[in-house]
């Protein structure tokens, strides 16, 4: 596969969301962490004079393990799920199958490490649904998101489990699963050889500037994943955030937020349905929607002229310039987005 599209793969929504624009490009729930989490992080500032301790790492892993009914040895704390993607080449796959359209960092990391990659592009006419038999038998690594960014499709856990087989690693990016009520279809609790689940704190807790997440998998798989990591790969604030966000009150808050996302998404879908020419992936389960808009690049630029930023879709394999991704916000903000779309489409 040629490398001439790697700059596209490096593109992320924060580039689209310039300061001063109404941000529908970045899928982060909060503008800053909630007050209780900021207080916990502030308390931890006094620990920055010491190296992150093994005890603090164990406490964070134990908190994650309790949350997912796992053993602490099945948890590794990461500097964001993105670090997990960067570490994938350490697992030494020979052929990695990437389910697309999806988050592009895993493909970029694997290709940069010289791993052969095969794209499995899901069919929009089929609602971008995963079919396990589409994946090449010879692939010894499969990477997919659930729910998938940018399609917002939630794949059945049973279909993902069909990908598991001896000698294959299945990597499931669950960065947005905590925005799904009940975390339906999550595999975080499942202890299966070859299954690697990556989770993020960024989206739910407003922490893109901290880089906090974790991986769940068999101890030997995690050991292989981290064999090239440096000492102290995550800082004390990350360990504090991971521990805090796994506590019962935080889980309760995330469940309430997931219910709100579901309600707000339904409202936005209803409003967008009134706009002619805009097709939406209606099987959405995440806090964002994938749209297809005729003359999409012009529409995106017209939205920007009206003070609204949306995520361009053509940087995702399988999509083109007519695809746009929009974040689900509060109803009042969503209505402003719909009005801007109506004006942009009508002018075109």
């Amino acid at each position: 596969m040629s490398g001439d599209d790697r700059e596209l793969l490096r593109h992320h929504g924060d580039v689209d969301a310039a300061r001063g624009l109404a941000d529908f490009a970045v899928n982060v729930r909060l503008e800053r962490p909630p007050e209780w989490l900021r207080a916990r992080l502030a308390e931890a500032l006094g620990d920055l004079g010491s190296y992150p301790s093994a005890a603090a790492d164990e406490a964070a892993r134990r908190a994650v393990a309790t949350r997912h009914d796992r053993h602490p040895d099945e948890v590794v704390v990461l500097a964001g799920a993105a670090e997990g993607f960067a570490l994938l080449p350490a697992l030494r796959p020979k052929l990695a199958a990437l389910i697309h359209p999806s988050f592009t960092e895993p493909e970029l990391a694997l290709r940069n490490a010289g791993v052969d990659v095969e794209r499995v592009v899901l069919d929009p006419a089929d609602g971008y649904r995963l079919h396990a038999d589409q994946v090449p038998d010879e692939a010894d690594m499969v990477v997919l998101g659930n729910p998938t960014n940018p399609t917002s499709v939630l794949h059945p856990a049973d279909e993902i489990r069909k990908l598991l087989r001896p000698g294959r690693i299945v990597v499931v990016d669950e960065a947005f699963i905590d925005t799904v009520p009940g975390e339906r279809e999550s595999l975080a609790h499942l202890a299966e050889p070859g299954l690697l689940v990556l989770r993020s704190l960024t989206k739910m807790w407003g922490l893109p500037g901290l880089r906090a997440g974790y991986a769940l998998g068999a101890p030997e798989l995690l050991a292989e994943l981290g064999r090239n990591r440096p000492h102290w790969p995550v800082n004390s604030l990350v360990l504090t955030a991971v521990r805090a966000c796994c506590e019962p009150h935080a889980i309760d808050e995330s469940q309430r937020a997931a219910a709100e996302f579901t309600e707000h998404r339904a409202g936005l879908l209803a409003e967008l349905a009134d706009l002619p020419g805009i097709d939406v992936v209606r099987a959405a389960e995440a806090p964002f929607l994938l749209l297809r808009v005729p003359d999409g690049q012009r529409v995106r630029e017209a939205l920007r002229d009206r003070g609204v930023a949306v995520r361009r879709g053509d940087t995702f394999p399988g999509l083109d310039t007519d695809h746009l991704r929009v974040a689900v916000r509060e109803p009042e903000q969503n209505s402003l987005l719909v009005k801007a779309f109506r004006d942009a489409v009508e002018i075109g």
Side-chain angles (χ1 to χ4, degrees):
M1 182 176 294
S2 65
D4 57 359
D5 62 346
R6 294 190 195 191
E7 285 306 312
L8 288 177
L9 296 180
R10 288 187 178 94
H11 184 89
H12 295 296
D14 60 308
V15 176
D16 296 313
R19 187 179 296 274
L21 297 176
D23 180 10
F24 290 86
V26 175
N27 297 316
V28 176
R29 178 173 71 102
L30 303 169
E31 292 183 356
R32 59 178 183 169
E35 184 175 350
W36 61 264
L37 181 53
R38 296 200 307 274
R40 291 284 290 275
L41 293 171
E43 290 173 8
L45 291 176
D47 298 332
L48 297 186
S50 303
Y51 290 99
S53 68
D57 177 70
E58 182 180 1
R61 289 188 294 108
R62 192 170 298 280
V64 173
T66 299
R67 186 197 190 305
H68 297 294
D69 196 24
R70 304 287 292 256
H71 191 276
D73 288 347
E74 298 175 310
V75 180
V76 165
V77 179
L78 299 170
E83 187 198 6
F85 302 135
L87 295 175
L88 291 181
L91 299 176
R92 293 180 280 202
K94 295 178 180 177
L95 175 64
L98 279 294
I99 308 299
H100 282 301
S102 192
F103 189 58
T104 53
E105 285 293 331
E107 177 174 327
L108 186 63
L110 291 163
R111 286 172 56 185
N112 283 344
V115 177
D116 288 338
V117 165
E118 181 164 338
R119 292 175 175 173
V120 179
V121 181
L122 304 184
D123 186 357
D126 191 34
Y128 296 104
R129 291 189 299 173
L130 172 69
H131 298 281
D133 58 6
Q134 293 177 269
V135 174
D137 289 339
E138 61 271 24
D140 57 353
M141 175 178 285
V142 183
V143 185
L144 71 154
N146 204 39
T148 301
N149 173 17
T151 64
S152 201
V153 171
L154 183 67
H155 303 298
D158 287 345
E159 193 66 22
I160 298 174
R161 291 182 69 173
K162 292 178 184 177
L163 296 169
L164 293 167
R165 62 180 60 180
R168 172 185 283 177
I169 299 167
V170 177
V171 183
V172 186
D173 170 14
E174 291 191 349
F176 290 99
I177 199 74
D178 55 359
T179 67
V180 176
E183 299 192 358
R184 299 190 329 276
E185 312 303 342
S186 173
L187 295 177
H189 65 286
L190 188 65
E192 287 275 359
L195 177 64
L196 181 66
V197 177
L198 300 178
R199 301 285 292 249
S200 170
L201 304 187
T202 298
K203 309 333 188 232
M204 179 59 70
W205 301 116
L207 291 172
L210 185 60
R211 314 311 307 138
Y214 53 88
L216 300 159
E220 57 273 17
L221 179 61
L222 296 181
E224 189 71 7
L225 181 74
R227 63 190 174 92
N228 294 324
R229 294 179 92 193
H231 288 297
W232 315 289
V234 296
N235 64 59
S236 298
L237 296 180
V238 170
L239 297 174
T240 297
V242 168
R243 188 174 179 180
C245 292
C246 287
E247 293 173 353
H249 70 93
I251 296 171
D252 289 344
E253 181 177 331
S254 70
Q255 290 174 345
R256 291 193 297 272
E260 289 178 357
F261 275 132
T262 300
E263 180 180 345
H264 298 340
R265 185 179 60 244
L268 180 55
L269 279 167
E271 289 193 74
L272 289 170
D274 293 334
L275 298 184
I278 295 182
D279 294 324
V280 187
V281 177
R282 303 197 65 83
E285 296 280 359
F288 49 86
L289 298 173
L290 179 63
L291 317 181
R292 187 165 191 180
V293 185
D295 201 7
Q297 183 170 337
R298 182 199 64 77
V299 170
R300 180 166 59 84
E301 292 169 354
L303 290 172
R304 193 176 185 87
D305 291 340
R306 287 160 176 76
V308 173
V310 299
R311 171 67 156 89
R312 61 187 282 198
D314 60 306
T315 66
F316 294 100
L319 303 183
D320 58 31
T321 55
D322 285 349
H323 289 94
L324 305 173
R325 190 195 70 196
V326 298
V328 174
R329 303 297 190 204
E330 297 285 333
E332 296 79 9
Q333 296 170 288
N334 291 340
S335 293
L336 291 175
L337 171 69
V338 173
K339 182 182 184 305
F341 258 117
R342 181 178 288 110
D343 293 344
V345 171
E346 287 178 355
I347 289 175

